[in-house]
Amino acid sequence: MSNQSGIGVAFIGSGSAAPEAVLSNEGVSRVVETSDEWIASRTGIRQRHLASPTESLKQFAAQAAQNALDMAGITAAEVDLIILATSTADDLFGSASQIQAAIGANRAVAFDLTAACSGFVFGMVTAAQYIRTGAYQNVLLIGADVLSRWVDWNDRRTCVLFGDGAGAVVMQASTAGDRLLGFELRSDGCMNDCLTLAHEAQPRELVDGIAIGRGGYQFIQMNGQEVYRFAVRKVPEVIEKALFRANLTVEQIDWLLLHQANQRILDAVAQRLTLSGEKVISNMARYGNTSAASIPIALDEAVRAGNVKLGDVIASAGFGAGLTWGAAIFQWGK
Ligand code: UT7
């Protein structure tokens, strides 16, 4: 895909990090009434990493970011922009600046982007716009979430699914071509109720006639079956649209890299696209659903294992709360 400026995007480094503590399905079955058999057969998940009370999103995100910078061979001081895709910032005002300080990216402007489990794909497209216009050279895109803080650990329908972690990529301006080949982003607020982490407030009257709401965020609520149906229906559609924009066919995809929510969703999407299972990147057995972090963690593992090679075409797609969903077709490398 070419654009007017002649400046394209390259993907030059990846990194990831996750908490040390690992909770197996057997461990979850000591918290709620469930079993390894149910969780593994319905979702493909076997274990998840969970942040301890003293660990922060900032820590994992900064570690993932540093690993990505090291692979890219650039220093933090060379980063112009940091985008942190997250729904679980340590600070409601945003955590991107905390990461900027932690890694010493003194020149970078930093902000959070919230689009739940689609956050990384939305962030990738956002980062590309800044690069293509010539505004920024080096962008650090991080997807990080600590959903364990917001899961209802009494609700077996949701608590078995989620894990914590962070992943990152370095995107760089390139005059040698544009590696973001096509994308399609979508939102449907009419289905917002299917997956929420909502603020609830009680009225508190300050003075006569003036009341404000005081409260806090509640736990994650999800209509699993609705979200499942939505994902299996909508994700292939956006991938096909993004492929069309990229002027590519399904046969030209080397890897399908979906948000790691449920192995059955990955299999169903691959089947609808008539893609062989060998092209599906999956690590949810070890991480569970890490929301905005799931795509970059899986990407980083696949790059470091030597599976994803320079020039490989990756069809990535995120989907989740909002509802939001989107696909980005990109090529790994300079
Ligand atoms: O990251 C954001 C995007 N999120 C997603 O993509 C999630 C999409 N949804 C899903 O992946 C699936 O809907 C779930 C994995 C969440 C649930 O799987 P399901 O096959 O849709 O199960 P279900 O909700 O239809 O429940 C089937 C049965 C129910 O029992 P009855 O009513 O049939 O007797 C549930 O009560 O399984 C029961 N159940 C469980 N049993 C043991 C629900 N959760 C559990 C559990 N352990 N953890």
Side-chain angles (χ1 to χ4, degrees):
M1 187 188 272
S2 62
N3 64 77
Q4 283 173 347
S5 69
I7 305 172
V9 179
F11 295 85
I12 64 167
S14 66
S16 59
E20 232 175 78
V22 168
L23 184 67
S24 66
N25 288 349
E26 192 278 321
V28 183
S29 73
R30 285 186 266 141
V31 183
V32 287
E33 199 182 323
T34 188
S35 63
D36 175 50
E37 200 285 324
W38 192 96
I39 302 170
S41 63
R42 298 276 178 146
T43 70
I45 297 165
R46 293 270 178 196
Q47 62 172 47
R48 67 287 295 141
H49 293 251
L50 297 179
S52 76
T54 55
E55 288 176 316
S56 62
L57 175 122
K58 179 185 86 178
Q59 260 174 270
F60 308 121
Q63 188 60 59
Q66 191 56 57
N67 293 346
L69 290 174
D70 291 345
M71 187 191 287
I74 68 167
T75 65
E78 292 174 87
V79 175
D80 302 298
L81 168 67
I82 298 172
I83 298 176
L84 171 66
T86 188
S87 308
T88 54
D90 293 329
D91 184 325
L92 201 51
F93 286 148
S95 284
S97 302
Q98 298 171 326
I99 297 159
Q100 179 225 22
I103 63 172
N106 307 326
R107 289 178 48 248
V109 61
F111 62 83
D112 290 28
L113 180 155
T114 299
C117 303
S118 309
F120 188 78
V121 170
F122 280 39
M124 185 189 287
V125 174
T126 305
Q129 309 314 308
Y130 285 104
I131 293 173
R132 287 172 173 173
T133 54
Y136 297 124
Q137 290 272 316
N138 291 314
V139 181
L140 187 54
L141 169 63
I142 306 164
D145 268 307
V146 183
L147 280 179
S148 62
R149 290 173 179 165
W150 301 103
V151 159
D152 181 352
W153 286 97
N154 294 311
D155 178 8
R156 69 176 183 173
R157 290 166 307 148
T158 50
C159 76
V160 303
L161 304 173
F162 297 103
D164 304 331
V169 294
V170 177
M171 294 168 63
Q172 189 171 59
S174 166
T175 50
D178 198 334
R179 302 289 202 177
L180 178 60
L181 305 171
F183 66 85
E184 173 78 11
L185 307 181
R186 304 297 301 272
S187 301
D188 183 0
C190 295
M191 288 182 76
N192 183 258
D193 281 359
C194 291
L195 183 46
T196 57
L197 204 179
H199 187 270
E200 270 180 32
Q202 303 298 323
R204 182 183 149 194
E205 190 157 307
L206 296 178
V207 292
D208 264 359
I210 304 282
I212 48 98
R214 295 291 283 183
Y217 288 89
Q218 307 303 302
F219 294 127
I220 293 171
Q221 305 257 9
M222 180 169 73
N223 181 335
Q225 289 187 359
E226 274 294 318
V227 177
Y228 186 97
R229 276 196 290 270
F230 141 80
V232 169
R233 199 171 60 240
K234 297 292 190 183
V235 170
E237 264 176 37
V238 282
I239 292 176
E240 277 165 356
K241 285 205 169 123
L243 277 173
F244 177 75
R245 300 235 159 93
N247 203 17
L248 292 175
T249 61
V250 169
E251 292 73 43
Q252 288 166 291
I253 297 174
D254 292 303
W255 300 104
L256 182 67
L257 175 52
L258 301 186
H259 166 49
Q260 307 282 300
N262 186 326
Q263 187 62 44
R264 284 157 54 215
I265 295 178
L266 270 57
D267 295 342
V269 172
Q271 199 180 2
R272 285 205 183 188
L273 292 170
T274 63
L275 257 179
S276 125
E278 285 155 26
K279 293 187 169 182
V280 179
I281 296 176
S282 171
N283 69 355
M284 82 190 65
R286 287 176 289 116
Y287 289 94
N289 176 346
T290 56
S291 196
S294 85
I295 292 176
I297 293 176
L299 174 65
D300 183 49
E301 287 197 342
V303 168
R304 285 175 195 270
N307 296 331
V308 167
K309 298 183 181 60
L310 293 180
D312 279 0
V313 173
I314 301 165
S316 66
F319 53 90
L323 296 181
T324 54
W325 65 108
I329 316 290
F330 65 100
Q331 247 177 330
W332 185 248
K334 285 192 194 248

